[in-house]
Amino acid sequence: MNNPFTLEGKTILVTGASSGIGKAVAIQCARAGANCIITARNDARLSDTLMTMDGGSKILADLSTKEGIMALVEQIDGKLDGVVCAAGVVETQVLKLTDENDMQHLFNTNAFSAIRLVRELVQQKRMNKGASIVLISSISGVKCGYVGGSIYGATKGAIEGFVKATALELAPQRIRVNTIIPGMVETHLLDHSDIDKEQIEADKLRYPLKRYGQPEEIGYAAVYLLSDATQWMTGTGILIDGGYTLV
């Protein structure tokens, strides 16, 4: 039987694949049959991701710089059937204490890295017709906000705005562009947070499903958007938030 959800025969690039959501996306794509090219800045952690996958390859790159993005694209052999932009950082700081360096760092990593990468891939014609581009967004700045999250939320709002027009521009090539909009996902970022365990457990109760998401659940959504099952889906976002924005 034909399986529209498989990634067999597809070459997929996953950024931010050394940890968290990016790592989970890469693992799930590989399990779905994709030939994955994974990239991040941390060589040791990226190698660890590769060891958990069946095949694939890695390219070390710093996507917060234009030079790093160009170097990455130059090392990709052939054309891509899909890209997942999962590289990003979360930083909480109230607006009045935010300086130019803080803003530049967040926008370079969370927004400009994905925008520049997609632009470079399109300009160099490195995407196959019918390819799928997936950008990891957030409910923060798109569906809601929190104190200290103004700049982080702005970076995710920028991603959502970028997707709408880019989807129209790439539609003649049948290249789809979509986002995944997660609520809080349990990653190692929480291990280094100033929020204690009791506060985290209390926050989980604010979600109708009474828990945070798991990285692999975002990976499942990425596989769906990369597969042929979503050939008629572009310029939209999949909300995965445990019901948080319902209340």
Side-chain angles (χ1 to χ4, degrees):
M1 294 178 61
N2 178 50
N3 178 9
F5 301 97
T6 184
L7 298 185
E8 290 283 350
K10 295 182 183 293
T11 299
I12 307 294
L13 172 66
V14 181
T15 75
S18 61
S19 62
I21 289 175
K23 180 176 182 177
V25 167
I27 291 171
Q28 295 306 322
C29 286
R31 289 178 178 173
N35 168 37
C36 283
I37 304 170
I38 60 174
T39 184
R41 291 180 291 190
N42 188 298
D43 190 24
R45 294 205 307 247
L46 194 62
S47 296
D48 181 67
T49 300
L50 191 62
M51 288 177 62
T52 64
M53 297 162 51
D54 184 14
S57 59
K58 67 170 185 172
I59 301 175
L60 200 65
D62 181 0
L63 302 188
S64 66
T65 68
K66 291 182 287 186
E67 295 77 14
I69 289 170
M70 293 178 67
L72 168 65
V73 175
E74 287 174 1
Q75 294 180 71
I76 296 172
D77 185 23
K79 292 190 175 184
L80 300 171
D81 300 294
V83 178
V84 181
C85 296
V89 294
V90 179
E91 292 184 1
T92 300
Q93 192 171 63
V94 293
L95 183 61
K96 67 180 181 180
L97 298 178
T98 302
D99 61 26
E100 287 294 324
N101 290 332
D102 295 327
M103 290 190 289
Q104 196 65 47
H105 171 63
L106 276 171
F107 269 93
N108 277 340
T109 306
N110 291 357
F112 296 150
S113 64
I115 293 170
R116 287 169 176 154
L117 176 59
V118 172
R119 180 188 65 179
E120 195 70 21
L121 291 170
V122 170
Q123 287 180 340
Q124 296 196 28
K125 299 181 179 180
R126 303 302 294 273
M127 303 289 296
N128 281 321
K129 285 189 175 181
S132 174
I133 299 171
V134 181
L135 293 86
I136 304 299
S137 183
S138 171
I139 60 172
S140 177
V142 178
K143 301 292 184 179
C144 59
Y146 61 93
V147 175
S150 58
I151 307 303
Y152 174 79
T155 66
K156 296 304 183 178
I159 287 295
E160 292 293 327
F162 170 74
V163 162
K164 299 300 182 184
T166 305
L168 289 173
E169 291 184 20
L170 300 184
Q173 302 170 53
R174 293 185 293 108
I175 296 176
R176 296 116 58 205
V177 191
N178 296 290
T179 64
I180 298 173
I181 309 171
M184 183 65 78
V185 175
E186 290 204 50
T187 69
H188 289 301
L189 286 175
L190 294 176
D191 299 339
H192 307 291
S193 171
D194 293 331
I195 304 173
D196 61 37
K197 186 176 180 180
E198 288 74 19
Q199 289 174 307
I200 289 175
E201 292 303 315
D203 187 60
K204 290 179 182 179
L205 297 179
R206 299 170 63 192
Y207 286 74
L209 293 182
K210 307 304 179 187
R211 68 174 177 89
Y212 290 158
Q214 295 299 313
E216 59 267 27
E217 292 175 312
I218 311 305
Y220 303 150
V223 170
Y224 175 59
L225 288 174
L226 293 165
S227 75
D228 290 345
T230 53
Q231 287 184 333
W232 205 48
M233 183 184 296
T234 195
T236 191
I238 295 181
L239 178 64
I240 308 177
D241 71 343
Y244 183 85
T245 53
L246 293 173
V247 297

